[in-house]
Amino acid sequence: NPSYTVNNGLRVSAAEQNLLDETLAKRIIEFESGKATLTDSGKGILDEMAAALRKVKGKKVEVIGHTDNVGLRDSNLALSHARAQAVRSYLADKGIPQDMVMVSGQGPDRPVAENSSADGRARNRRIEFRIAQ
């Protein structure tokens, strides 16, 4: 069925996932260095994401935090989870029900770029949104 895509073995609506992907538009939700505190630009992107999330009513969304590989893995796992939690809290303040948003932290385990350059590390420090059902 072309209206669905397989994501981790689950069928999700491609249109709904595309809505979230297009809203994020390969931008990075930024945090203060080494912290789970959103920057103003990060909040601006999340304001747009909140509007997109209102359009996917009845679906659960997973917010996945990632880090680069600088520092201890356990610290990065905790930081990535704390950042995902900060995103959920911010979205809740914008009217998105907390029970709609699940969070997880992957730390440095799923890089999208090489960690050998500053640009690559910046790309790896990210938040992803995935339709969960």
Side-chain angles (χ1 to χ4, degrees):
N1 181 339
S3 68
Y4 287 90
T5 185
V6 175
N7 183 6
N8 293 330
L10 299 175
R11 288 172 24 129
V12 297
S13 169
E16 291 167 333
Q17 184 62 54
N18 286 341
L19 172 66
L20 298 184
D21 292 344
E22 289 168 8
T23 302
L24 191 54
K26 298 191 187 297
R27 296 177 293 173
I28 296 172
I29 297 169
E30 296 176 349
F31 294 85
E32 290 183 17
S33 180
K35 298 179 181 177
T37 305
L38 287 157
T39 64
D40 288 341
S41 67
K43 290 175 182 177
I45 294 169
L46 288 178
D47 290 344
E48 294 176 37
M49 288 304 294
L53 289 170
R54 286 185 195 96
K55 296 177 183 176
V56 295
K57 293 178 181 161
K59 300 285 184 183
K60 294 215 182 273
V61 175
E62 185 176 13
V63 173
I64 309 161
H66 301 273
T67 65
D68 59 29
N69 69 347
V70 176
L72 299 174
R73 181 175 181 277
D74 287 345
S75 297
N76 281 331
L77 283 170
L79 179 59
S80 65
H81 191 267
R83 287 177 171 174
Q85 290 275 47
V87 167
R88 179 167 70 176
S89 294
Y90 186 84
L91 292 172
D93 290 344
K94 297 296 175 182
I96 303 301
Q98 285 204 23
D99 63 353
M100 177 184 177
V101 181
M102 302 179 303
V103 297
S104 69
Q106 299 292 317
D109 296 343
R110 291 182 41 219
V112 293
E114 293 293 324
N115 279 300
S116 56
S117 70
D119 180 59
R121 288 188 299 275
R123 289 183 56 211
N124 288 331
R125 294 187 300 264
R126 68 194 189 283
I127 294 288
E128 294 178 333
F129 292 83
R130 295 283 174 247
I131 298 290
Q133 66 177 28

